[in-house]
């Protein structure tokens, strides 16, 4: 039997984190765009977003997000991670005043969750910039001048393209080849060739292929599904011989949803583990008895919704957004 979460406590926790980060999370302030995205996703999964945030608060958040948009004249158009170092127009610290793929993805998702039409998004500038971020190997870097390059940023580019309904910034063939090369002998997916299979990269690879309509490009789909299913030991863990961790309720759980393996999961055991990670103040921790944080709280609640979809708004495993939000967005695109 699937036990119930403390919905009211979790809604309060997400609202608190939107207003002020807990002491142990202040280091994430430079990535407040991602924190906002996670909190909004958590509230939306609980079905409490509009009840928790007033229309005035939602409008204020929309304005704040647009204030983080780097204009076309910038080194890379898109959204930056937050306003820690002041307004974009007066910020002189370049690393904090440049756009990146992860923040752009979170910004677009947050705008949709807040009911925005994306009318103020410079879509052409974003897709044009993405073309400069894709490497010859097929993967992406999050912004110019970094050595980070792996499936996380392929996913961000694919999610941005799907939301904007414009794939001109992604060479799908090159991205698909890179993902295929990340397929490991055990069926898992890696950060790069010959590295260890990892649940987070599994999600990014599977979701990217799904968004591109290329799930059939997985070298061995059934083996990949088997690897994901074998990550369950009560809850899900992300690597072989590791203990369960709440965030993989989404990373692994969503991958299984996309691969068609929902009926093979012991959903009661997953839900029980997630419930064990609840904190008295609301939110979910990485492990039972630890302090909660926005990432594990949000992803854990979405993972919980996969276990009992009849109790929660249906979430898109590819985009970490409610299906109803995506349907409304698609309807607006059709009208324009």
């Amino acid at each position: 039997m699937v036990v119930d979460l403390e919905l009211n406590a979790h809604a309060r926790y997400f609202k608190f984190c939107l207003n002020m980060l807990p002491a142990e999370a202040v280091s994430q302030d430079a990535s407040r765009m991602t924190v906002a995205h996670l909190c909004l996703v958590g509230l939306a999964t609980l079905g409490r977003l509009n009840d928790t945030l007033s229309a005035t608060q939602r409008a204020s958040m929309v304005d704040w997000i647009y204030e983080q948009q780097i204009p076309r004249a910038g080194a890379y158009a898109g959204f930056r991670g937050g306003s820690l170092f002041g307004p974009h127009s007066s910020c002189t610290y370049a690393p904090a005043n440049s756009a990146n793929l992860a923040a752009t993805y979170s910004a677009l998702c947050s705008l949709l969750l807040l009911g925005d039409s994306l009318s103020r998004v410079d879509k052409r500038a974003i897709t044009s910039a993405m073309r400069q971020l894709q490497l010859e190997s097929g993967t992406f870097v999050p912004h110019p001048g970094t050595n980070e390059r792996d499936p996380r940023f392929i996913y961000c580019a694919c999610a941005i393209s799907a939301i904007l309904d414009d794939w001109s910034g992604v060479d799908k063939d090159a991205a698909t080849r890179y993902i295929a090369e990340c397929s490991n002998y055990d069926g898992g997916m890696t950060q790069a060739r010959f590295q260890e299979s990892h649940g987070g990269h599994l999600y990014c690879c599977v979701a990217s292929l799904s968004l591109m309509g290329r799930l059939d490009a997985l070298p061995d789909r059934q083996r990949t599904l088997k690897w994901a299913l074998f990550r369950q030991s009560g809850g899900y863990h992300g690597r072989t011989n590791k203990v369960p961790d709440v965030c993989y309720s989404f990373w692994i759980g969503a991958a299984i949803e996309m691969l068609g393996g929902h009926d093979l999961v012991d959903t009661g055991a997953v839900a029980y583990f997630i419930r064990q990670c609840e904190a008295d103040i609301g939110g979910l921790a990485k492990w039972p008895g630890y302090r909660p944080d926005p990432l594990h709280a949000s992803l854990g609640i979405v993972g919980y919704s996969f276990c009992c979809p009849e109790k929660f708004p249906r979430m898109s495993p590819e985009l970490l957004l409610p299906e109803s939000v995506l349907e409304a967005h698609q309807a607006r695109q059709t009208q324009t």
Side-chain angles (χ1 to χ4, degrees):
M1 181 180 71
V2 176
V3 294
D4 290 330
L5 290 173
E6 296 293 337
L7 304 185
N8 292 332
H10 295 310
R12 287 195 301 270
Y13 175 79
F14 288 127
K15 183 177 182 179
F16 176 83
C17 290
L18 283 171
N19 292 327
M20 180 184 296
L21 289 175
E24 61 271 17
V26 293
S27 62
Q28 302 173 25
D29 200 41
S31 301
R32 188 171 281 274
M33 189 70 75
T34 298
V35 174
H37 174 203
L38 291 168
C39 292
L40 292 172
V41 166
L43 287 171
T45 308
L46 296 171
R48 303 292 181 88
L49 198 156
N50 290 340
D51 293 338
T52 303
L53 301 176
S54 68
T56 301
Q57 289 173 315
R58 295 196 300 273
S60 178
M61 288 190 68
V62 167
D63 289 339
W64 177 82
I65 292 170
Y66 276 115
E67 287 171 1
Q68 313 319 314
Q69 185 170 206
I70 304 299
R72 187 185 295 262
Y76 164 60
F79 291 81
R80 61 178 185 163
S83 53
L84 176 63
F85 291 88
H88 163 68
S89 58
S90 59
C91 178
T92 58
Y93 181 51
N97 205 30
S98 61
N100 67 78
L101 283 177
T104 300
Y105 158 64
S106 287
L108 295 177
C109 287
S110 298
L111 288 170
L112 291 181
L113 285 162
L114 293 165
D116 186 71
S117 66
L118 307 186
S119 60
R120 288 184 273 170
V121 173
D122 192 340
K123 302 173 186 178
R124 185 173 299 177
I126 290 173
T127 54
S128 176
M130 286 201 304
R131 287 195 289 271
Q132 303 172 43
L133 300 179
Q134 188 169 19
L135 305 180
E136 186 176 350
S137 64
T139 191
F140 282 78
V141 293
H143 54 81
T146 179
N147 289 322
E148 285 190 283
R149 54 195 69 189
D150 58 61
R152 292 175 298 169
F153 308 116
I154 295 178
Y155 170 72
C156 289
C158 288
I160 292 167
S161 300
I163 290 171
L164 298 182
D165 194 24
D166 183 350
W167 287 87
S168 63
V170 176
D171 182 339
K172 289 185 179 181
D173 292 337
T176 301
R177 284 195 302 271
Y178 185 89
I179 291 172
E181 291 176 354
C182 292
S183 181
N184 212 355
Y185 71 93
D186 58 3
M189 306 298 292
T190 67
Q191 183 174 9
R193 294 181 69 184
F194 309 125
Q195 295 190 7
E196 181 184 15
S197 297
H198 189 285
H201 293 301
L202 171 79
Y203 172 78
C204 291
C205 289
V206 171
S208 296
L209 290 175
S210 182
L211 289 168
M212 291 189 288
R214 297 190 174 191
L215 265 180
D216 291 341
L218 279 172
D220 191 333
R221 180 168 174 165
Q222 290 306 308
R223 177 182 279 187
T224 299
L225 174 59
K226 182 178 179 180
W227 187 90
L229 291 167
F230 275 36
R231 303 283 67 76
Q232 184 175 9
S233 52
Y236 293 113
H237 54 269
R239 292 182 288 158
T240 302
N241 294 327
K242 295 294 183 178
V243 298
D245 178 332
V246 155
C247 69
Y248 293 105
S249 305
F250 176 76
W251 302 127
I252 299 291
I256 290 173
E257 293 288 319
M258 290 182 279
L259 293 170
H262 175 83
D263 292 339
L264 301 174
V265 175
D266 183 348
T267 54
V270 175
Y272 179 77
F273 173 74
I274 295 171
R275 182 69 172 79
Q276 294 299 107
C277 296
E278 281 188 297
D280 292 340
I281 62 172
L284 297 168
K286 181 185 182 79
W287 298 309
Y290 282 67
R291 294 281 293 177
D293 64 80
L295 183 143
H296 288 88
S298 178
L299 297 185
I301 287 173
V302 177
Y304 190 92
S305 76
F306 293 148
C307 299
C308 42
E310 72 283 353
K311 294 185 177 182
F312 294 90
R314 173 65 183 168
M315 299 297 290
S316 163
E318 292 90 351
L319 284 174
L320 192 55
L321 287 169
E323 295 282 4
S324 60
V325 168
L326 291 173
E327 291 167 3
H329 176 52
Q330 290 166 358
R332 286 193 296 265
Q333 288 181 316
T334 302
Q335 293 171 358
T336 57

